[in-house]
Amino acid sequence: FFPLAGPQGYINLLKAGKRKEAYEIIAEKNPLITVCGYICHHPCEEVCKRGTLVDEPMKIRSLKRYLGEIFLDDPPAAYPKLHDLHIAVIGAGPAGLTAAHCLAKKGYKVTVFDQSGEPGGMLMRGIPDFRLNKQDARREMERLAKAGIRFEFNAKLDPADLDDMLKHYDRIVVA
């Protein structure tokens, strides 16, 4: 039994009672599952064929939130160490965190720099508390550090700093 990737895969796993495996399919590419469960405006549900052919659309956003909340406090698996390259990611918003997660999953050493004192970017500063549980978001982002991504906060960088960074990092991703 090989589940499909994407919603079809994790919905089938969830239906079979394999919650952890369903969670892992989502977590493969999305490090902010719980956050998405809170704030996604779920456009996929509007075009879900099940809603027109059977009964109602699949509640993808709710499934992500459900799975994310179940495994939020589980210790994350450590990212593999497969390459000697060290990559700097500038920006700890959703794009930077996702880039760091994808690179770390491929075995690169990753350090994320952000000018604020915590990860999340506009998730933490721009989305009101009634729309996003900030404590859950922080816990989800802490999982990235526990899995092996390094963070440097209060790091205000300007373009002149990039040349110096290339002396210490093999690649730089600006997110």
Side-chain angles (χ1 to χ4, degrees):
F1 170 68
F2 295 100
L4 300 168
Q8 196 173 11
Y10 63 79
I11 289 169
N12 285 331
L13 285 168
L14 200 52
K15 185 177 174 183
K18 298 177 182 240
R19 295 186 306 187
K20 183 69 170 176
E21 293 88 343
Y23 173 84
E24 289 170 355
I25 284 180
I26 302 169
E28 184 65 30
K29 293 184 180 172
N30 182 354
L32 303 173
I33 298 169
T34 309
V35 168
C36 286
Y38 277 107
I39 64 170
C40 178
H41 65 286
H42 52 83
C44 59
E45 292 179 22
E46 294 173 15
V47 296
C48 178
K49 298 290 185 214
R50 183 183 174 107
T52 55
L53 299 175
V54 181
D55 47 17
E56 62 184 59
M58 296 300 297
K59 305 291 186 203
I60 299 293
R61 181 180 72 175
S62 298
L63 292 175
K64 284 183 180 175
R65 183 168 169 183
Y66 168 73
L67 288 170
E69 287 176 347
I70 288 174
F71 298 106
L72 195 56
D73 292 320
D74 281 11
Y79 291 116
K81 306 247 188 285
L82 304 174
H83 306 287
D84 288 333
L85 292 177
H86 196 162
I87 300 173
V89 175
I90 300 173
L97 295 174
T98 302
H101 170 73
C102 290
L103 290 164
K105 291 232 23 125
K106 292 181 185 265
Y108 296 100
K109 292 180 274 186
V110 180
T111 300
V112 178
F113 294 85
D114 198 84
Q115 66 181 354
S116 73
E118 69 177 342
M122 291 307 292
L123 286 175
M124 303 307 284
R125 294 187 288 285
I127 298 175
D129 292 344
F130 70 84
R131 187 74 174 103
L132 174 65
N133 181 323
K134 303 286 175 63
Q135 288 307 109
D136 282 356
R138 284 184 183 98
R139 287 170 37 216
E140 192 158 58
M141 291 181 266
E142 285 171 8
R143 290 175 53 83
L144 300 174
K146 289 176 183 173
I149 294 174
R150 227 177 107 243
F151 288 91
E152 289 198 25
F153 299 114
N154 303 309
K156 187 161 174 68
L157 305 170
D158 61 48
D161 295 325
L162 294 180
D163 287 333
D164 189 47
M165 284 185 82
L166 283 170
K167 294 176 186 168
H168 305 285
Y169 296 92
D170 299 293
R171 304 285 186 275
I172 299 173
V173 176
V174 180

